[in-house]
Amino acid sequence: RFSAQKLYDAAMGGVTIIPAVPQMHALVMQYTKEQGVERLGAPKLRYVSSGGAPLDPAWKRKAEAFYELPLQNGFGMTETSSGASATTNPIGSPDVSVGPVTPGTRARIDVNAAGGNGVDEGEVMVAGPHVMKGYYRNPVETEKTLEADGWLHTGDLGKIDEKGRLYILGRSKELIIHGGFNVYPPEVEAALNDHPQVIQSAVVG
């Protein structure tokens, strides 16, 4: 099981890289605060990244102040054999995208998929030599997930800006439609997490 204390001890003991999901970052930040320390102050830490869930600007600023390093973000799946995109931002950057795609990766947005808005938001599609050939002994799910030309349906909703940066908005199956508007759970979570008495939240439609 994950232990905030063990991560804290490892960081203070000389760990140089911390890749984690937002919940882990939040818990180690809370643990450190309970010890009466506002910043980690790890002597050899040089790189911190977050993945597995969208970032919101307020939380990103808190994490960077805590680590005193830029918090990098990325996107990937088991089906893409690891990462498909990543940021290389300086500290303080307002960018909450998952960055441009990695070399050899192609990405596009299917705006007509479930949850798409027909304009610029829709399902994230990924292709490249690192995309899986299929689910083991499961041709039915493979056919649902992989197009004949190799494009992978990620099940994630997103958009790509004019600079080629990919943004993950949420999971298509978790999308809440309220009054004709798309409500993404991560947006609600971001509002909740901004409250000083909230460590981490999860919103489910």
Side-chain angles (χ1 to χ4, degrees):
R1 292 181 179 274
F2 172 74
S3 166
Q5 180 181 351
K6 287 182 179 179
L7 178 55
Y8 173 82
D9 291 343
M12 300 310 291
V15 160
T16 59
I17 298 174
I18 298 179
V21 299
Q23 293 89 337
M24 293 178 176
H25 290 300
L27 288 171
V28 76
M29 288 164 66
Q30 180 65 19
Y31 172 81
T32 305
K33 185 178 180 180
E34 290 170 354
Q35 311 312 306
V37 180
E38 292 296 323
R39 289 175 170 75
L40 183 63
K44 295 185 178 180
L45 189 62
R46 60 182 176 84
Y47 182 88
V48 183
S49 66
S50 181
L55 287 178
D56 66 88
W59 189 88
K60 182 175 183 287
R61 288 194 297 271
K62 290 178 185 177
E64 291 188 333
F66 174 72
Y67 289 111
E68 299 179 286
L69 288 169
L71 181 68
Q72 305 300 347
N73 196 13
F75 171 72
M77 306 169 64
T78 303
E79 291 87 343
T80 62
S81 306
S82 68
S85 70
T87 63
T88 54
N89 292 325
I91 193 168
S93 169
D95 178 22
V96 290
S97 75
V98 291
V101 295
T102 52
T105 302
R106 291 175 290 150
R108 63 180 174 85
I109 304 298
D110 182 355
V111 298
N112 297 313
N117 63 2
V119 181
D120 61 349
E121 297 177 2
E123 184 180 15
V124 178
M125 305 286 289
V126 174
H130 56 312
V131 171
M132 69 169 186
K133 292 183 177 180
Y135 294 113
Y136 184 61
R137 293 182 178 176
N138 195 339
V140 175
E141 288 301 315
T142 297
E143 188 175 351
K144 290 180 184 177
T145 307
L146 276 177
E147 300 285 343
D149 55 1
W151 284 95
L152 172 75
H153 289 268
T154 66
D156 287 299
L157 297 173
K159 63 182 180 180
I160 299 175
D161 69 11
E162 67 282 355
K163 295 182 179 180
R165 296 178 298 193
L166 175 63
Y167 292 79
I168 302 299
L169 303 174
R171 294 287 294 171
S172 58
K173 292 180 180 179
E174 297 174 355
L175 175 67
I176 303 164
I177 300 177
H178 182 74
F181 290 94
N182 288 351
V183 179
Y184 303 103
E187 293 179 339
V188 184
E189 291 168 355
L192 293 172
N193 293 343
D194 200 33
H195 193 284
Q197 290 183 311
V198 175
I199 300 172
Q200 192 63 244
S201 65
V203 174
V204 181

